[in-house]
Every structure is written in C-alpha cells, then in structure tokens.
Amino acid sequence: MGKTIAQKIFEDHLVDKPFEGTYVLKLDRVFCHEITTPIAINDLVSRKKDRVFDPEKIKAVIDHVSPAKDSNTAMQEKILRDWARRNNIKDFFDIGCNGVCHALFPEKGYVRPGFTVIMGDSHTCTHGAFGSFAAGVGTTDLEVGILKGVCTFREPKSIKFNLKGKLRAGVYAKDVILYIIGQIGVNGATNCVMEFSGPIVDNFEMEERMTLCNMAVEAGGTSGICAPDMKTVDYLWEFIKDEYDSKDSAFKNFSKWTSDEDAKYEKTYDFDLSNLEPVVTVGYKPDQIKTVKEMSGTKVDQIYIGSCTNGRISDLRIAAKILKGEKLAAGVRGIVSPATPKVYKTALDEGIISVFLDAGFCVTNPTCGACLGMSNGVLAEGEVCASTTNRNFNGRMGKGGMVHLMSPATAAATAISGVITNSSLYK
C-alpha cells in the first residue's frame, strides 16, 4: 500500500510508538513567539530545566504585539528575549528585525520539504506549503519540544483535495480556501492533514500555497500540505544552493516527499473551481461564506490588509494595483501591515507604500496585532472590518465587532467604495 506525504514524514522521523496510533517524532524546527512561549519558559525554569535541545533548530520572534503596548506585553517579550539570550538562540528576531512568524520563518528559509515543525500557534500549518508536516501545539507539547526535540502526534490521516480547472480573473488563493472550508465545514478535517493537489495548486506560487495551508486549521485540520516541486526549489534556492549541485538535484531529492499514486486517504474531494467567484465570510465562523455578489453593498468601517494569511508582497501588490490613484471611501479607515521587514522594504522600493499612503491608509510596522484584537486596529462594538486575516470569530478583532474575511483584492475594492465590492469594478 502506498503512503501519503504525511505518512512518509512520520515514518522518517519516528522515535517511538508507545501506543497504537500514537507516534513520537523527532523535530526539525521548533518555532516560538512571545504570546505562548513564555508560559512554557516559566514552567521549564520552575522545574530547573532551563535549556533547549538544539539552539540551531529553535527560531523565535516577537510578533503579536510589536512593539509592546503595555507593561504586561513588555514582560512577555522580556521573558522570550532573556530566554533566547540565555540559551544562545541566535535566530531570535526582536523589534526592528521581526515580522509575522508564519511569513518571516519561510522567508528566512527555515522550512524544507520533509521537515517536522511545531509552534505554540494554530496557524503553524502554513509551513506545510513546503511539503513539511507543521502543526500548532499546546504548552506541554511545546515545552517537551523545546527541551527534548520530540513531539507526540496521532496517526497521520490525510484528506486529499484535488483542485481542478482554471481560476477566473479576480479569484485568488484566499477565495479558494474559504470556498473549501465552506464546503466541508469547520470540523470537516478534524485531526487530519489537508493535502492540496491538482492543476490549480500546481499553478500557485509558494505564497499562494501558504495562504491555502494557513487556513487548514479553520477546517479542523492538524496541518495543510502541498507536494514540493520546482517552485519550492526556486523559493528555497538561495538557502540550499550550497547543498545541491543544481536545482534539478534538489528537485529530485525533494520529490521523495510526494504521495504515492496508491496512497490511501480518509476522503478525497474533487473541486472544479473554474466558475468560482470571489467570496467573503458572514457570521462568526470561517465556513459561513457567501459570494461577494451576494454581500455587495454591505457597509464596513475598517479595512485591514496584512497577517500571516495575506500580508506578503504578492498580496500587497494585488491590493495596490486596485488602489492606485484611488482614495478610501469617506468614513472608512484603512490599515495595512506588511508581514515582514523585507516585505515592507520591497513594497517601499516598488512604490506600493506610497499607493497605500496616497489612498489614505495607515501603514504600520509588521505585527499580528489587529488580527487577534490585541493592537494596531482593534474594533469598537458594532463596527465592521473587511479583513484579509484568517478568523472571523465573535470578538476576534474587538468585542462586539464583525469581521468579514476576504482576499486582498476584495478588501482593496471595498476600501474604495466603503461597502463590500467585487474587485473587477476597479481593474
């Protein structure tokens, strides 16, 4: 019987199988940020186990409240900062060189095909875009990962999503993943790996694949995953060029992390997305979606473009193309947060930041702040936000606020009109 990508990674990283269906895996990367890691650090310190399994394999960043907004968040950051210094973690990204974790770490080349990755953050599944098994974990698992370099998982069951057809103009990866979640529901992939394949995924660039995998958790998935290909090699080449004679040899090596033709899946979904229209969420769950056409005219108070889902340079380029020469609608405020310093600088060099500023947007430093209602764009009760983030839970961006998730293109068009609008009107 053939194996899925996830099964192959589990087999390669297996340390122990203490119970049927339970796998202890060695870890290639443990990622950390200042919201969840300090709890683990303090517990390890209290147990007199203030050490790490391998400082080269641990990467840390301050990204959720950046810079600190009050004494409590400042202390969270100090705990992480001091811990990184004590344990010689050289890849620690402090204020000024930091960015949104799930954009910054791939950008630095820290994720490779076949890797196992954990982090105390549910959207760690983003990194599966590189053909890795990446999962968000709780405090106890994070502590063990930091200390011992292992983590325990259930048997890897995969659901295959074969995405066929050709996307219409104005339809993007965000529309695709929202549609999929709308079809299978927020529990549709619980405890499973969502494996994305097919012509649409093949045509997606790495940043689009990251958007797909980023929201796997919103369908209950443990991780999202895409098979590595030459686009994966191209993205990683500057980091791996000394390890391989050529891109072809790297591709050949990465190709072992693909599913066999006779691999067994829990379910297989075939979606022809040729007629897919831009979509947005309604209500307070990511599977509650409608087309932009159905939601057309819905008033908004705030536009937010950024996050680990859609704050990369390709996202900013899409939004800026629509916003160029336009202005924010009266009574609407816009916030854009480039996901990393590199994204910010590239956008600055390309004139994209000027486009946003000319349109009336507030451009902030890289941060997760507004996405989870912690800083840089929290909503007041009764306010509505058109957002490129990944969650529309009740109170997510502020108590009593409503969040409509959408693509950067739809967000940009909505910014101009002040109501949810199809981006095709501004091309």
Side-chain angles (χ1 to χ4, degrees):
M1 178 66 69
K3 296 182 177 67
T4 64
I5 305 172
Q7 287 172 327
K8 290 182 179 182
I9 294 173
F10 270 51
E11 186 177 272
D12 185 70
H13 289 74
L14 184 63
V15 174
D16 192 15
K17 196 174 178 182
F19 312 105
E20 186 63 31
T22 301
Y23 294 72
V24 179
L25 306 183
K26 64 180 178 182
L27 299 171
D28 294 298
R29 294 287 184 267
V30 176
F31 293 154
C32 302
H33 62 55
E34 89 283 10
I35 297 300
T36 57
T37 309
I39 303 170
I41 292 170
N42 287 341
D43 192 56
L44 287 169
V45 170
S46 72
R47 296 171 185 272
K48 302 187 186 307
K49 296 183 183 297
D50 183 22
R51 55 185 183 273
V52 301
F53 81 102
D54 186 340
E56 296 290 325
K57 294 182 178 180
I58 294 178
K59 317 295 180 182
V61 64
I62 290 171
D63 65 348
H64 277 62
V65 184
S66 171
K69 65 175 182 175
D70 54 30
S71 296
N72 287 335
T73 53
M75 180 54 69
Q76 291 282 97
E77 296 176 9
K78 184 179 187 303
I79 291 169
L80 187 70
R81 187 178 294 121
D82 291 347
W83 169 76
R85 187 182 302 113
R86 289 195 307 271
N87 288 285
N88 299 311
I89 297 168
K90 67 181 182 64
D91 294 320
F92 169 63
F93 300 92
D94 208 333
I95 306 301
C97 62
N98 58 337
V100 176
C101 54
H102 307 309
L104 182 71
F105 292 149
E107 184 183 275
K108 296 289 185 181
Y110 295 152
V111 187
R112 309 285 172 83
F115 269 19
T116 49
V117 181
I118 66 165
M119 187 177 195
D121 189 288
S122 56
H123 293 105
T124 307
C125 49
T126 307
H127 307 288
F130 293 84
S132 66
F133 175 78
V137 298
T139 302
T140 301
D141 284 332
L142 182 62
E143 284 188 49
V144 174
I146 289 170
L147 186 65
K148 296 293 186 180
V150 297
C151 192
T152 303
F153 297 97
R154 296 179 181 178
E155 182 178 2
K157 299 178 179 179
S158 295
I159 299 176
K160 186 175 183 177
F161 295 85
N162 185 26
L163 309 183
K164 301 181 291 185
K166 183 178 180 180
L167 296 182
R168 292 176 170 182
V171 178
Y172 297 91
K174 184 63 160 288
D175 300 298
V176 171
I177 190 59
L178 286 175
Y179 172 80
I180 291 171
I181 296 168
Q183 292 298 301
I184 70 171
V186 292
N187 297 315
T190 299
N191 295 327
C192 291
V193 175
M194 297 176 70
E195 183 179 318
F196 301 105
S197 62
I200 286 176
V201 179
D202 294 341
N203 288 327
F204 274 167
E205 299 300 325
M206 292 306 299
E207 294 191 352
E208 295 169 295
R209 295 177 191 178
M210 282 187 258
T211 295
L212 272 187
C213 292
N214 175 269
M215 293 190 66
V217 69
E218 312 308 338
T222 302
S223 186
I225 202 163
C226 300
D229 60 8
M230 191 55 79
K231 289 182 179 179
T232 316
V233 174
D234 289 338
Y235 186 98
L236 292 172
W237 186 244
E238 65 175 297
F239 308 106
I240 63 174
K241 59 186 177 183
D242 294 333
E243 301 173 26
Y244 297 96
D245 294 333
S246 66
K247 288 186 177 181
D248 287 336
S249 62
F251 173 71
K252 183 178 179 180
N253 179 262
F254 289 168
S255 295
K256 65 186 176 185
W257 305 114
T258 57
S259 294
D260 298 326
E261 289 187 9
D262 58 342
K264 182 180 179 182
Y265 294 91
E266 293 298 298
K267 294 180 182 177
T268 297
Y269 291 94
D270 291 297
F271 291 126
D272 188 332
L273 303 179
S274 301
N275 295 318
L276 181 64
E277 296 181 35
V279 297
V280 299
T281 58
V282 298
Y284 297 108
K285 294 199 301 178
D287 62 354
Q288 297 175 325
I289 66 166
K290 289 186 177 181
T291 64
V292 170
K293 187 183 299 181
E294 292 174 292
M295 293 293 289
S296 181
T298 301
K299 186 181 181 301
V300 303
D301 301 289
Q302 176 172 293
I303 309 296
Y304 183 76
I305 298 173
S307 85
C308 60
T309 317
N310 286 124
R312 298 177 180 83
I313 189 61
S314 57
D315 302 308
L316 302 194
R317 285 169 179 156
I318 289 166
K321 185 176 180 181
I322 294 166
L323 286 163
K324 190 170 185 177
E326 303 284 353
K327 296 285 186 183
L328 280 167
V332 175
R333 61 188 183 272
I335 301 169
V336 59
S337 181
T340 71
K342 182 179 179 181
V343 172
Y344 197 119
K345 187 177 187 307
T346 302
L348 192 63
D349 293 343
E350 294 182 6
I352 290 172
I353 298 298
S354 291
V355 171
F356 284 116
L357 291 173
D358 291 344
F361 273 74
C362 166
V363 180
T364 81
N365 60 288
T367 179
C368 300
C371 176
L372 68 165
M374 293 192 77
S375 64
N376 286 49
V378 178
L379 298 176
E381 187 170 353
E383 288 190 318
V384 178
C385 183
S387 180
T388 68
T389 55
N390 44 41
R391 285 191 172 148
N392 59 331
F393 300 164
N394 193 354
R396 171 72 174 178
M397 290 184 77
K399 184 179 179 181
M402 167 63 75
V403 179
H404 295 294
L405 306 179
M406 59 187 67
S407 73
T410 304
T414 300
I416 298 165
S417 64
V419 296
I420 292 178
T421 301
N422 195 312
S423 63
S424 63
L425 297 177
Y426 293 96
K427 289 188 176 180

